[in-house]
Amino acid sequence: MNQSKQSNFEQPAFAQRAVGARPRRARRHALTAAMLAALYLPGLAAAQEAAAAGEEVKSIDKITVTGSRIKRAEIEGPAPVTVISSDQIKREGFATVYEALSTLTEVTGSVQADVNKGPTPNASPLNLRNLGPGRTLLLIDGRRVADYPLPYEGRGNFANFNNIPMSAVERIEVLASGGSAIYGSDAMAGVINIIMKKNFNGDEVRIKGGTTSRGGGDSFDLSWTGGRTGEKWSATYGVQWSGRETIFAGQRGFLASDLEPAATVKPLVNDPWPWVWGVELIDSAAKRRVTPPAGACDRFEDLPLHNFLGNEGNPPEFPGYSCTQARGNALWSLRNGSNNLSAFGNFSYDLDNGMQLWASGSVWDSEGESRQDEALRFELNRGGAFYDQNTGRSYQARRAFTVPEAGGRDPFLFYTNERSWDLAGGVRGRFGERFNWDVTIGRTEYEVDFSFPAVVQSAVDEYFLGPQLGTNAGLPAYRLDMNRFWNPMDIGTFQKLTTHGHSRAKSWMNQAQFSLSGELFDLPAGPVGFAAVLEAGSQGYRLNPDPLTYGPNKQYDQPGGTNLGGGDRKRYAAGVEFKLPLFSTLDLTTAGRFDRYDDDSRKESNFTWNAGLEWRPIDSLLVRGAYNTTFRAPDMHYLFATSGTGTQEDADVATCIARGLGPNCGSQALYYRHNISRTGNLQLDSETGKSWSAGLVWDATDNLSFSADYWRMTIDNQVRDFNIADILELESQCINGKPRRPEDRMQVNPGSSTCASIQSRVTRSAPGTNAAGVADPNYPLGQVLSVSSGPINIAYREVAGVDVSARYKLPATRWGDFSFQLNYTNQLKNNEQRDPGAPMQENRDNDVRTFARASASWSRGPWNATLFANRVGHVNGDNYNRCAPILPGQTDTSCRMVGKLKAPVFFNLTAGYQLTEQARVNLYIDNLFDEADYKDPYKMFFAYANERVFPRVGREISAEFVYKFD
């Protein structure tokens, strides 16, 4: 049989919803003992049997719980900790660590979905408590890991939860409250500690394969985990090879088309949006599209002749006909593909002097595949107007390559090759009878090679325009080859006009730690627990974008823009923690920590502390509370980004409001492409904050347990990278003195220093002219030429909510054993204040507010099954809380308020059968009822609904064979 051998120096950490024990005596009900055994603590198997027989369990070995370095007998502490075992992850139907963590109700914030990940398609961050991805600390066996090298959304560094092999995971511990006083920077929203398998005996092989019921997305997973133990040593090892196919929108009929008939789900979309290009020529003087030659559109696949009418009642900037993509979305990846290979191992050896040597290592190698917007489309003369000597007219011309021209789909794809590794080792032992000590050193690295499709601008201009023939009326003059422009090209020509660029990035971290824990002395109510830690480390990162995407030798663009930057810094820390038994029923825990960061810009220090109370008036009830101060050192890319350039399409809100054209700014004249840039800010301050929680845990009966906690977190000086769309929105408020809609709130004060800073970020052409400098009444304020973003400290951020959980185990029945679990979170506050003089911005109603997950498990003899349900609450759709737009042909013009979208519930079903003592088969059905094709009636752009709430994969079915041997 496979089992883990528990070391004298390291006991597994766990925190189940059960009553906490007093230091000298730990009594547990049958439900609690069963839960502990389910987390694979072999030493508790006897406790479970004793509890089932009605005997009192006298003691439980001390353990280390995430959120404290003090080993303790209590299962629950002053702050709630959620634990997910690897078996629970599998029972609930999840294939990866990230999939399981993303369904936790504490993960209240959204992150980029696969359909819009931009330059980080193979990475998956988490947004715990809606405080942002960078404010959740990821640990592997209590050690920090290197950040993902490429910045999230081109802005800040973050931890990737997608590169953790499932076969190596024993369990996951989640502290969803401030942890800076124990773990230092980044633990503002909480800590996620991945505990790897150790002291494993025997071998286990898993073979799994699956597919989706709607087609595409085939997957496989092969793993081998094993271990051996001797009298003084233990070795655990494992390898895993997994992969899944990319799922494209073209494989889901409800997403494949850009042009939806006016009578169906998109009645407001008369035109494709500006980014949905095909082949179009615009007469820039007449401000009209040039009608394609007869039969031209038919020669291109999926580029039908289309008459532009305008969006949302706004006339088009350029009316007329063009050959427009009908299936441009078909190439978008709904779920990115990957091929992953990983290995891990750890080893420990007990010396004769009582000390133990240990080492651990892991490596992850992955190739990701994806495809999103903006790749392989181009404008002649980089989008500027040019004079055509053949016709004597000035034109703008833009084009998108088609799949037949490319010879297939592959040239459109993005590829991400990644390798991360972690190596650590140390020695641990005891001081006398009271103290354990541990010395650890380690290094972790992460490297990424991002390969992207690109258009070689000079080759495109040469092919379609030929050499420049001087100028005419200030415009460059060419001879546009109409035959080439209105006809598909062959594959050879396509290959000459395109390429695949390569951008690389690397991050690393070195760390050393000495920790000491034990009992100082005895008080009347019990021993005083103590822990201390000293840490030193260094970290750094480097971004090396393709040299042909920037600078004087620039030849092509990188989708999502080009990011430059790199830096190094050192950190030092010292911390101490105490657990004081004030009375037999009341314990006080307190900790303090000093952190210092040294980098190329400055030296900065922070002190954080916490305090927690645990009151147990009766054995079955724990009342608890905790208060923490938190901090986060500025993200390295927020500090050291040296430049970032690109282009982006946004609404020119200030012009839209100034011209009285309505709040949606849907006209192409007001929604256009402009340059963007980004630089770091060496003057950023550290974020500081507070976190507190209060609640209770109650074992109502032997089979029923409840917990409920209220939590609140605040951040002062929050660092936030200005979103380009936000800058343009705020610029409009500064210029026009009013928000887009009367019901919206002003976020800035016109004439303030904040407005001066915001307006300085936007560069416009002269008032009354367009980007070419030509007089144009469409732009009374001037056309936006570029917008500069970058990180700033804003004044205040606040989130608050409640967590509720319940567990119930039905007494044994003739039909088998049944158990149930429910977790629920309601985010009550989500507020932000941009600067001390600005009004408080209330965001709760703009985000998802409630989250729930539940499971029901059954077992009987060799059979078992689990039904898992996940509900993400109602979310705002487009036009929420506003009058519904008037649809074509609608005669009733009274205001009909648009409400929230539905709150879907997704179910997973798993079942297993034990064939023999060694062999087992499992069946997994994810998204049991095939929820996939819901659309927001008023969202007019891909993927037509909130991607987090409404995933597009559909039902997924897989089968697994497991074999264990000694």
Side-chain angles (χ1 to χ4, degrees), residues 254-267:
F254 57 91
L255 292 178
S257 175
D258 302 321
L259 301 175
E260 300 214 30
T264 60
V265 291
K266 288 289 171 294

Side-chain angles (χ1 to χ4, degrees), residues 191-244:
V191 180
I192 297 179
N193 193 6
I194 311 294
I195 309 299
M196 309 295 269
K197 291 178 179 176
K198 303 176 186 66
N199 304 305
F200 198 85
N201 259 332
D203 293 274
E204 177 184 270
V205 175
R206 289 178 174 268
I207 304 173
K208 183 180 179 182
T211 189
T212 65
S213 60
R214 292 178 181 253
D218 293 352
S219 62
F220 71 91
D221 193 332
L222 308 176
S223 68
W224 181 356
T225 305
R228 298 292 183 270
T229 59
E231 183 178 350
K232 293 186 175 183
W233 60 273
S234 174
T236 302
Y237 49 84
V239 294
Q240 183 174 1
W241 179 30
S242 63
R244 64 185 187 186

Side-chain angles (χ1 to χ4, degrees), residues 9-241:
F9 297 105
E10 181 180 14
Q11 294 84 25
F14 58 88
Q16 286 295 95
R17 301 298 188 190
V19 63
R22 300 189 181 100
R24 295 163 307 287
R25 185 171 65 91
R27 190 172 74 82
R28 292 293 179 272
H29 298 301
L31 174 64
T32 302
M35 289 177 178
L36 298 178
L39 283 176
Y40 293 94
L41 301 181
L44 293 177
Q48 180 187 11
E49 294 172 1
E55 301 175 15
E56 182 175 290
V57 181
K58 296 298 183 183
S59 64
I60 292 178
D61 288 338
K62 292 187 176 182
I63 56 174
T64 303
V65 180
T66 295
S68 173
R69 297 184 187 276
I70 296 175
K71 295 184 185 298
R72 50 193 292 160
E74 292 87 345
I75 296 171
E76 289 283 359
V81 176
T82 300
V83 173
I84 313 173
S85 70
S86 60
D87 261 33
Q88 180 183 346
I89 293 174
K90 296 183 181 73
R91 287 197 308 271
E92 292 178 344
F94 302 112
T96 68
V97 168
Y98 175 73
E99 288 178 359
L101 289 174
S102 63
T103 68
L104 294 181
T105 63
E106 296 88 347
V107 182
T108 55
S110 297
V111 295
Q112 287 178 312
D114 274 9
V115 298
N116 58 9
K117 280 187 178 175
T120 56
N122 207 32
S124 298
L126 283 176
N127 191 351
L128 198 63
R129 298 303 194 198
N130 210 357
L131 287 182
R135 297 176 187 89
T136 299
L137 178 62
L138 172 62
L139 304 175
I140 304 292
D141 284 335
R143 301 186 305 275
R144 290 173 175 261
V145 299
D147 288 332
Y148 192 75
L150 293 172
Y152 178 70
E153 296 182 324
R155 299 170 187 172
N157 303 121
F158 65 97
N160 180 19
F161 289 83
N162 200 39
N163 69 328
I164 303 168
M166 268 296 302
S167 64
V169 175
E170 177 72 23
R171 68 192 170 277
I172 305 170
E173 302 173 352
V174 181
L175 171 71
S177 61
S180 294
I182 305 297
Y183 300 106
S185 178
D186 303 336
M188 302 192 83
V191 180
I192 297 179
N193 193 6
I194 311 294
I195 309 299
M196 309 295 269
K197 291 178 179 176
K198 303 176 186 66
N199 304 305
F200 198 85
N201 259 332
D203 293 274
E204 177 184 270
V205 175
R206 289 178 174 268
I207 304 173
K208 183 180 179 182
T211 189
T212 65
S213 60
R214 292 178 181 253
D218 293 352
S219 62
F220 71 91
D221 193 332
L222 308 176
S223 68
W224 181 356
T225 305
R228 298 292 183 270
T229 59
E231 183 178 350
K232 293 186 175 183
W233 60 273
S234 174
T236 302
Y237 49 84
V239 294
Q240 183 174 1
W241 179 30

Side-chain angles (χ1 to χ4, degrees), residues 562-869:
T562 299
N563 285 287
L564 291 167
D568 305 83
R569 68 181 176 193
K570 300 179 177 64
R571 65 178 183 89
Y572 310 93
V576 64
E577 182 182 3
F578 299 94
K579 182 175 176 62
L580 304 169
L582 303 180
F583 302 99
S584 61
T585 61
L586 183 64
D587 291 337
L588 168 67
T589 301
T590 186
R593 179 180 168 113
F594 177 83
D595 285 87
R596 182 177 179 85
Y597 279 80
D598 295 354
D599 55 47
D600 295 336
S601 63
R602 61 184 163 178
K603 296 176 173 59
E604 185 173 10
S605 300
N606 290 275
F607 176 76
T608 52
W609 63 276
N610 72 15
L613 287 172
E614 304 165 55
W615 180 44
R616 296 176 173 83
I618 56 177
D619 279 349
S620 61
L621 178 64
L622 165 66
V623 180
R624 62 187 176 190
Y627 178 87
N628 310 270
T629 62
T630 59
F631 92 100
R632 185 188 185 214
D635 180 280
M636 294 190 71
H637 195 58
Y638 282 157
L639 292 171
F640 301 120
T642 54
S643 68
T645 60
T647 61
Q648 182 171 306
E649 286 151 340
D650 291 288
D652 184 349
V653 184
T655 299
C656 174
I657 302 304
R659 292 178 55 190
L661 295 179
N664 293 324
C665 306
S667 168
Q668 188 168 315
L670 300 172
Y671 194 99
Y672 51 84
R673 182 167 291 272
H674 56 81
N675 293 323
I676 60 173
S677 63
R678 182 189 186 278
T679 57
N681 183 355
L682 294 176
Q683 305 305 313
L684 291 174
D685 295 323
S686 284
E687 298 175 338
T688 58
K690 302 177 180 65
S691 167
W692 69 271
S693 62
L696 58 86
V697 183
W698 179 36
D699 274 349
T701 69
D702 284 350
N703 298 320
L704 179 63
S705 178
F706 293 102
S707 74
D709 292 274
Y710 173 83
W711 49 270
R712 181 174 180 267
M713 300 177 181
T714 63
I715 301 177
D716 294 311
N717 295 323
Q718 178 186 347
V719 177
R720 171 175 170 175
D721 202 271
F722 247 160
N723 180 281
I724 298 292
D726 284 349
I727 293 174
L728 293 172
E729 182 90 24
L730 295 173
E731 182 214 23
S732 174
Q733 293 188 12
C734 292
I735 292 174
N736 295 307
K738 59 182 180 181
R740 277 206 206 193
R741 301 170 178 85
E743 63 269 25
D744 292 345
R745 299 182 62 179
M746 287 288 291
Q747 301 177 50
V748 293
N749 294 321
S752 65
S753 59
T754 300
C755 273
S757 174
I758 290 169
Q759 289 176 258
S760 70
R761 295 176 177 271
V762 182
T763 301
R764 291 179 175 269
S765 61
T769 67
N770 60 26
V774 178
D776 192 331
N778 286 316
Y779 305 102
L781 305 175
Q783 190 170 4
V784 174
L785 302 178
S786 65
V787 183
S788 174
S789 68
I792 60 171
N793 288 101
I794 66 173
Y796 185 72
R797 179 98 162 94
E798 174 189 26
V799 295
V802 292
D803 297 332
V804 178
S805 72
R807 287 177 171 84
Y808 177 67
K809 181 176 176 60
L810 192 69
T813 71
R814 58 182 295 187
W815 300 283
D817 296 327
F818 296 85
S819 60
F820 306 89
Q821 180 175 327
L822 170 69
N823 294 82
Y824 171 81
T825 293
N826 190 323
Q827 183 153 314
L828 302 174
K829 289 185 179 181
N830 180 12
N831 300 332
E832 183 176 275
Q833 186 182 41
R834 196 170 296 275
D835 63 66
M840 187 70 71
Q841 182 178 344
E842 299 175 357
N843 297 320
R844 177 179 184 260
D845 204 44
N846 298 326
D847 291 334
V848 181
R849 297 175 297 187
T850 61
F851 307 81
R853 72 194 312 270
S855 64
S857 297
W858 164 81
S859 62
R860 184 185 184 194
W863 292 95
N864 77 284
T866 296
L867 179 65
F868 170 82

